[in-house]
Amino acid sequence: MIVTSLSEPKPLEMNRTIAFRLIIFSLMLLISASLPAQTPQYNRNALTVLMLDAGDVNAKPLMKLVDSIKIPDKFFDHQLSTKVLPLPDGRRSLMMRDTAKKIFTTASLERLLTTNRVPNEMVAKWFSRKPDGTFGVELLSERGLYNANDDAALVAAASKRGTAALMDLGMGLVDRSYLLVLDFPRLITMEQLYERDSTPAEQRIMNGYVGTMNAYVFKLDFGEQEAAAFFENLWVNSDSPDKAARVKAFDSYDFKIKPVSVFTEELSATQLNPGQKFAPKQQRTSAQLLQSMFDGGFNNVILRLEGAQDEFRVKAMIHDTKPIAIKIGRKEGLKFDQRYFVFENRQDHHGNVYKSRRGVIRAMSVADNRNMATGETTPSYFYQIAGGKIDAEGMFAEQKNSSGFNLLLGYASGGLGGGYARMDIMISPILYEVFGGGKIRKGMTAWKIWLEGALNYDTAEPQFVADDYVFYRGGFGLSKEIFLLRNLFVEPSAGYLFERANPTGDVAYYYTSQHMAFDVRLGLNITYRLQLMPALHYYIPVSTSYFLTKDTKPVKLKFEEEFDERTGPGFGLGLRFMF
């Protein structure tokens, strides 16, 4: 029978067990500190979310949403019984750092949290505190096992203690506990906004909510000194001789939290009123709109945390290269087509270790690894979109989120020529969730919908009036990138365009036309986020109309007879910026 160092101690062994735990904890900190900062280590963070209730006008329905918070898979769900903190005197209860944005000082908020024993409750949950004040290690052990990767599992399996060694790793996770405090200093309905701004009745066309969310991030301080104080003075066994004193000591102890970040998000969830053009047939309820706004704000804060804080970004070693394989998946919050950078540790002439980016990759499968590591975890697979050769001999990947939006600026001659701007929106992650089935889906990668606008000044000679015209064009479509080499791809696309031709003079007539659009672009990386993109365009006219004035009936025409100089293939060149 294997006995873990995290098992419940017996009375006579209590001092020895506490000392042993301190030694284990100290060793883990020393080992961690001795590793270079660039060593790819990723341990799961625990996340607790609270909301502040200042008694605002729309606070009541908002506070109900706290129970709907879904902690992302990459975090340990560390939700507490305390989920809402009331501010007895409203916003006057705390000091303001920014009066205009109604941002509190972190020091005053820290005092509020400490006074309400929130850090104590976080520690109590980690150590499975019972109603009588005694502690256990059930949750700690469970999370230590779940957090372990394949390397740790293989090392543990080869040791005498086996998986029991993995349970001890849970001790080091306590110091990775984060507290996210959400406050909505401005939240009003569109009706309230219209009333406030005295908006004319004919302009009151929307319903829903607009508001501001301030998010405060704190980290529980459970380093070596705090751990020592906890085990020596606060740990309670069922048979502790000074149990009552220790229980009271824990309840009155002030565990420390440290401010990490403050974010402000401008939020809205609105819809057109019934009867308005383009209004949804089925109106969303107020509760649905509020939920949508809340979820959007919460998800944006998580994304900003991942961008701003190194400890929130997933890191893992390259496991294989044909194809690129990394042993991460849903447990780490991996998404299909999510971007990662590949780094390699290097050393300068002073002996300092630094990480050098070697490539950029995206996920083309997402393994469901939400279980305990066994040493044979199925990896997720990636394809390369930029950089040099990647190998599995010391290179590692680090999460670097992208927005999923690209902007292409270019000029085309021939066909429907002119300057154009195209916005790409990545939809492949949605396709994978619906049709992917957890398998490698290279064919689903890099699918995008695009929206395009174009402008061209040209002379044309249609049958009615030869003149100088301004051609305005807009359209939408689908495209997909197909990588031929690490830094070279081809992008076929198809779409539908609407064009209007206005004479440059002070006249009322104009032409409209609609076209099916097909093009093939070649993408050549200048950097990982900037590409040179020559293109071949071809357009098929669908309909053309002439309007003497906007109030007259259109005259149907043939595009190729009216604007023959704007038919045939076109060639373009553009620069694409990836965000």
Side-chain angles (χ1 to χ4, degrees):
M1 178 179 179
I2 297 174
V3 179
T4 79
S5 65
L6 289 178
S7 59
E8 185 69 28
K10 296 177 181 178
L12 295 177
E13 299 172 340
M14 182 177 173
N15 292 335
R16 191 190 317 168
T17 305
I18 290 174
F20 186 58
R21 286 176 180 158
L22 285 171
I23 292 169
I24 290 289
F25 189 79
S26 300
L27 283 174
M28 286 191 293
L29 290 175
L30 286 170
I31 292 169
S32 176
S34 67
L35 293 172
Q38 293 79 15
T39 299
Q41 299 180 88
Y42 177 70
N43 290 303
R44 296 168 66 81
N45 297 319
L47 185 63
T48 302
V49 183
L50 299 179
M51 292 175 65
L52 299 180
D53 182 2
D56 298 317
V57 177
N58 297 301
K60 193 171 182 179
L62 190 64
M63 294 305 120
K64 294 179 180 178
L65 298 182
V66 70
D67 289 324
S68 71
I69 294 173
K70 186 181 183 302
I71 303 298
D73 285 339
K74 68 181 292 184
F75 301 105
F76 287 122
D77 183 341
H78 208 70
Q79 289 296 76
L80 310 175
S81 58
T82 301
K83 296 180 180 179
V84 176
L85 282 182
L87 302 179
D89 297 323
R91 303 195 179 280
R92 292 174 299 179
S93 303
L94 300 172
M95 294 179 62
M96 290 285 181
R97 188 187 80 186
D98 186 327
T99 306
K101 295 182 179 179
K102 297 187 177 180
I103 298 177
F104 300 124
T105 64
T106 54
S108 64
L109 190 51
E110 184 179 331
R111 283 194 296 272
L112 175 74
L113 295 166
T114 303
T115 301
N116 283 272
R117 322 313 295 163
V118 173
N120 293 55
E121 199 174 344
M122 293 172 70
V123 174
K125 180 165 182 173
W126 268 110
F127 292 98
S128 306
R129 197 184 193 212
K130 313 299 188 297
D132 65 355
T134 57
F135 294 105
V137 294
E138 299 84 1
L139 184 65
L140 205 67
S141 301
E142 176 189 317
R143 289 182 174 179
L145 287 169
Y146 191 74
N147 181 74
N149 58 25
D150 268 11
D151 290 338
L154 289 171
V155 170
S159 71
K160 291 182 179 180
R161 298 180 60 240
T163 58
L166 299 179
M167 297 181 185
D168 290 350
L169 297 179
M171 189 75 72
L173 300 175
V174 182
D175 196 38
R176 299 183 67 93
S177 302
Y178 289 85
L179 173 62
L180 174 59
V181 182
L182 304 179
D183 180 39
F184 293 79
R186 293 190 184 91
L187 178 65
I188 58 175
T189 65
M190 289 302 297
E191 184 179 354
Q192 291 166 339
L193 179 65
Y194 290 144
E195 287 295 323
R196 187 195 71 183
D197 297 344
S198 301
T199 305
E202 65 274 11
Q203 296 178 22
R204 300 186 179 198
I205 61 173
M206 308 282 287
N207 66 82
Y209 292 90
V210 292
T212 302
M213 181 181 77
N214 292 330
Y216 306 84
V217 185
F218 295 87
K219 181 179 183 293
L220 178 67
D221 183 1
F222 202 80
E224 188 171 2
Q225 289 185 349
E226 288 295 321
F230 172 73
F231 286 122
E232 287 181 21
N233 306 317
L234 308 176
W235 180 271
V236 183
N237 271 9
S238 56
D239 297 322
S240 298
D242 53 350
K243 178 181 173 183
R246 284 176 171 266
V247 169
K248 185 177 180 181
F250 178 86
D251 291 336
S252 60
Y253 189 84
D254 289 339
F255 285 96
K256 299 175 184 177
I257 53 174
K258 300 182 292 188
V260 175
S261 299
V262 179
F263 302 110
T264 296
E265 290 286 329
E266 298 298 329
L267 308 175
S268 70
T270 59
Q271 60 189 346
L272 288 164
N273 290 330
Q276 295 290 333
K277 190 177 182 180
F278 304 120
K281 292 181 180 179
Q282 182 68 43
Q283 290 274 308
R284 289 188 289 172
T285 65
S286 294
Q288 289 172 330
L289 289 168
L290 199 61
Q291 183 74 64
S292 174
M293 187 183 73
F294 181 86
D295 291 344
F298 176 71
N299 291 334
N300 285 345
V301 167
I302 297 299
L303 287 173
R304 292 180 68 178
L305 262 176
E306 290 173 339
Q309 298 297 324
D310 183 72
E311 284 193 343
F312 281 78
R313 292 193 291 271
V314 177
K315 307 173 188 69
M317 300 298 297
I318 301 295
H319 177 68
D320 204 349
T321 57
K322 294 183 179 180
I324 298 169
I326 306 174
K327 290 193 173 185
I328 57 175
R330 293 196 181 276
K331 186 160 78 170
E332 291 76 25
L334 181 66
K335 302 290 191 300
F336 188 75
D337 248 335
Q338 187 174 11
R339 187 180 70 186
Y340 275 66
F341 285 0
V342 176
F343 292 101
E344 181 179 47
N345 283 339
R346 294 193 169 185
Q347 199 172 50
D348 63 21
H349 62 282
H350 295 297
N352 300 314
V353 177
Y354 67 96
K355 62 182 184 183
S356 171
R357 191 180 71 237
R358 311 306 297 158
V360 183
I361 58 179
R362 287 186 179 272
M364 62 179 178
S365 76
V366 180
D368 192 349
N369 60 343
R370 291 173 292 187
N371 46 40
M372 194 183 87
T374 61
E376 299 180 359
T377 300
T378 301
S380 296
Y381 294 96
F382 293 73
Y383 65 103
Q384 189 169 358
I385 64 170
K389 185 178 179 181
I390 293 173
D391 63 49
E393 298 176 5
M395 291 190 183
F396 62 94
E398 180 176 326
Q399 176 186 356
K400 293 287 183 179
N401 293 336
S402 62
S403 68
F405 293 92
N406 306 325
L407 177 63
L408 174 66
L409 302 176
Y411 187 85
S413 62
L416 303 182
Y420 59 85
R422 174 180 287 192
M423 174 68 78
D424 294 329
I425 305 167
M426 186 87 75
I427 61 169
S428 47
I430 300 172
L431 295 177
Y432 187 80
E433 288 302 314
V434 177
F435 305 108
K439 299 179 181 179
I440 300 178
R441 301 293 188 188
K442 187 69 179 288
M444 284 188 185
T445 59
W447 277 96
K448 303 181 291 290
I449 57 174
W450 53 261
L451 304 173
E452 183 177 289
L455 179 67
N456 189 30
Y457 295 87
D458 204 356
T459 300
E461 299 182 359
Q463 62 172 305
F464 289 100
V465 184
D467 207 338
D468 292 331
Y469 288 85
V470 182
F471 295 90
Y472 304 93
R473 188 168 71 248
F476 60 90
L478 277 172
S479 66
K480 175 182 167 45
E481 296 173 6
I482 302 169
F483 274 81
L484 308 175
L485 299 170
R486 289 191 292 264
N487 294 286
L488 182 69
F489 63 90
V490 63
E491 183 185 53
S493 78
Y496 203 81
L497 302 176
F498 304 86
E499 187 172 68
R500 174 168 169 156
N502 283 10
T504 56
D506 187 17
V507 292
Y509 69 88
Y510 61 91
Y511 293 84
T512 64
S513 60
Q514 299 179 29
H515 308 261
M516 288 189 291
F518 302 92
D519 56 54
V520 178
R521 287 181 165 81
L522 192 66
L524 177 64
N525 285 338
I526 298 173
T527 69
Y528 74 91
R529 62 171 59 187
L530 178 65
Q531 292 84 36
L532 181 68
M533 299 191 73
L536 173 64
H537 308 276
Y538 192 78
Y539 309 99
I540 300 175
V542 176
S543 68
T544 305
S545 299
Y546 169 78
F547 294 80
L548 183 60
T549 71
K550 66 178 183 179
D551 299 319
T552 59
K553 291 185 177 181
V555 178
K556 298 295 183 182
L557 305 170
K558 288 187 176 181
F559 185 85
E560 56 271 23
E561 293 177 359
E562 303 300 316
F563 299 97
D564 62 323
E565 66 279 1
R566 292 177 64 76
T567 59
F571 301 91
L573 184 65
L575 282 175
R576 189 180 74 172
F577 303 85
M578 301 178 71
F579 302 101

